[in-house]
Amino acid sequence: MKNVAVIGAGTMGNGIAHTFAQYDYKVQLIDISQESLDRGMATITKNLDRMVAKEKISEADKNQTLKNITTYTSLEEGVEYASLVVEAATENIDLKLKIFRDLEKFCPDDTILASNTSSISITQIAAVTTRPEMVIGMHFMNPVPIMKLVEIIKGYSTSDETYKTVEEISKKLNKVPVEVNDYPGFVANRILMPMINEAIETLYNGVAGVEEIDTVMKLGMAHPMGPLQLADFIGLDVCLSILNVMYDGFKNPKYAPCPLLVNMVMAGKMGIKSGEGFYEYAESRRAEKVAKMFK
């Protein structure tokens, strides 16, 4: 299983493509926009350059990694020979269902279809295909080349064979796979997002300021990054989407997004990627913050 198609060239997609290519998989990176593909490849190149500068990889390793990636704007062409597809598109259920319906048409019959979704039901995604036993969640953490965890989510019909194959692939990427059952938010976000939401509620209620809240959690709880800074890094729109999925799935008010989060997203304050969230980020500082994650 050496041909891997990655759908989406954004933050998660280019990180997933980088990781597979670094471990000598042949990667087909797919996006509807050539501009997005160019940005994704530029990001991969910059991150590889940092790794070379820190002597984590050689210049030859970097060149081989880049050589292992081919870009496509056509889904049909990109997945034609894929043994594994990892979908890393926007966290939108309608978009993901459309992609998996298309994958059903274009992929070989033995292709495993994985989603990098951080909250959406794998069972629901699998239901639009005729191969639900071969659909699975493969939830990487950001930044993908650095973070060790991969949540592997089994849908209702996911076969043991599919799980074992994806588990072994994760280990070959030097990741630590953890088996998780298919419930909204899985494990990581079911625990993380209510904490972030509560931090936003704490700010919304005037208990303390942004830096004060983050300082308490960093110094008092030994968190490497405060919850509001982490929300900016994840993307406030992504946090809102995940909370909405959990609220809809559990019908429990503890998952209801804070009004402040809703308003910030409506105002276009998405965090690092938009230049402003709970903190302000100049372009140079955005790049610097992302670069620090690769140290």
Side-chain angles (χ1 to χ4, degrees), residues 30 56 86 90 105 162 175 194 211 267:
I30 306 163
K56 293 183 177 180
V86 182
T90 304
K105 294 183 290 185
T162 297
K175 301 299 185 188
E211 293 187 7

Side-chain angles (χ1 to χ4, degrees), residues 47 50-51 54 56 143 146 287-295:
N47 290 336
R50 292 188 188 104
M51 296 175 80
K54 296 178 183 303
K56 293 183 177 180
I146 304 301
E288 180 184 338
K289 282 183 177 292
V290 174
K292 283 181 180 178
M293 301 300 292
F294 286 84
K295 287 187 176 179

Side-chain angles (χ1 to χ4, degrees), residues 38-100:
D38 292 342
R39 281 198 305 267
M41 290 304 300
T43 298
I44 293 170
T45 302
K46 287 178 185 177
N47 290 336
L48 288 168
D49 284 338
R50 292 188 188 104
M51 296 175 80
V52 171
K54 296 178 183 303
E55 299 184 346
K56 293 183 177 180
I57 62 172
S58 68
E59 186 71 24
D61 292 331
K62 168 198 161 183
N63 293 335
Q64 185 59 50
T65 298
L66 292 172
K67 186 178 177 181
N68 285 338
I69 304 173
T70 308
T71 61
Y72 292 86
T73 54
S74 166
L75 180 66
E76 183 174 2
E77 293 177 8
V79 303
E80 185 176 4
Y81 301 109
S83 300
L84 169 68
V85 174
V86 182
E87 171 272 316
T90 304
E91 195 75 349
N92 177 289
I93 181 60
D94 293 331
L95 175 61
K96 290 186 186 293
L97 295 183
K98 181 184 184 306
I99 288 171
F100 275 79

Side-chain angles (χ1 to χ4, degrees), residues 20-256:
F20 273 104
Q22 190 176 333
Y23 285 87
D24 213 27
Y25 287 83
K26 302 304 179 186
V27 178
Q28 296 82 52
L29 180 59
I30 306 163
D31 201 291
I32 58 172
S33 162
Q34 185 61 50
E35 183 181 356
S36 295
L37 288 168
D38 292 342
R39 281 198 305 267
M41 290 304 300
T43 298
I44 293 170
T45 302
K46 287 178 185 177
N47 290 336
L48 288 168
D49 284 338
R50 292 188 188 104
M51 296 175 80
V52 171
K54 296 178 183 303
E55 299 184 346
K56 293 183 177 180
I57 62 172
S58 68
E59 186 71 24
D61 292 331
K62 168 198 161 183
N63 293 335
Q64 185 59 50
T65 298
L66 292 172
K67 186 178 177 181
N68 285 338
I69 304 173
T70 308
T71 61
Y72 292 86
T73 54
S74 166
L75 180 66
E76 183 174 2
E77 293 177 8
V79 303
E80 185 176 4
Y81 301 109
S83 300
L84 169 68
V85 174
V86 182
E87 171 272 316
T90 304
E91 195 75 349
N92 177 289
I93 181 60
D94 293 331
L95 175 61
K96 290 186 186 293
L97 295 183
K98 181 184 184 306
I99 288 171
F100 275 79
R101 288 189 188 100
D102 289 340
L103 291 175
E104 174 77 8
K105 294 183 290 185
F106 300 143
C107 288
D109 293 339
D110 59 351
T111 303
I112 292 176
L113 307 180
S115 176
N116 182 59
T117 179
S118 55
S119 60
I120 295 169
S121 168
I122 299 301
T123 302
Q124 184 179 5
I125 291 171
V128 302
T129 77
T130 60
R131 60 179 96 178
E133 72 283 357
M134 301 180 73
V135 178
I136 195 164
M138 199 174 186
H139 180 208
F140 292 86
M141 304 293 126
N142 184 29
V144 180
I146 304 301
M147 301 293 279
K148 289 287 189 182
L149 175 66
V150 179
E151 279 188 309
I152 303 180
I153 303 97
K154 295 176 70 175
Y156 184 84
S157 300
T158 304
S159 70
D160 289 339
E161 181 181 0
T162 297
Y163 174 81
K164 288 174 184 175
T165 300
V166 171
E167 180 184 47
E168 285 304 310
I169 290 171
S170 300
K171 290 177 180 177
K172 288 177 182 177
L173 300 176
N174 198 28
K175 301 299 185 188
V176 178
V178 176
E179 181 178 350
V180 177
N181 290 320
D182 189 20
Y183 292 96
F186 314 133
V187 171
N189 282 320
R190 184 168 179 175
I191 295 170
L192 175 63
M193 286 302 154
M195 183 193 73
I196 287 176
N197 199 45
E198 192 62 30
I200 300 171
E201 285 279 1
T202 303
L203 176 66
Y204 181 58
N205 292 330
V207 179
V210 171
E211 293 187 7
E212 288 77 11
I213 291 167
D214 278 352
T215 299
V216 167
M217 296 305 290
K218 286 189 288 186
L219 300 185
M221 311 304 165
H223 290 195
M225 186 183 295
L228 299 177
Q229 184 185 9
L230 179 57
D232 277 355
F233 184 76
I234 293 168
L236 301 191
D237 54 332
V238 176
C239 293
L240 178 59
S241 176
I242 295 168
L243 284 164
N244 281 330
V245 167
M246 292 196 294
Y247 183 57
D248 290 342
F250 291 117
K251 308 301 182 189
N252 188 323
K254 75 177 181 179
Y255 299 115

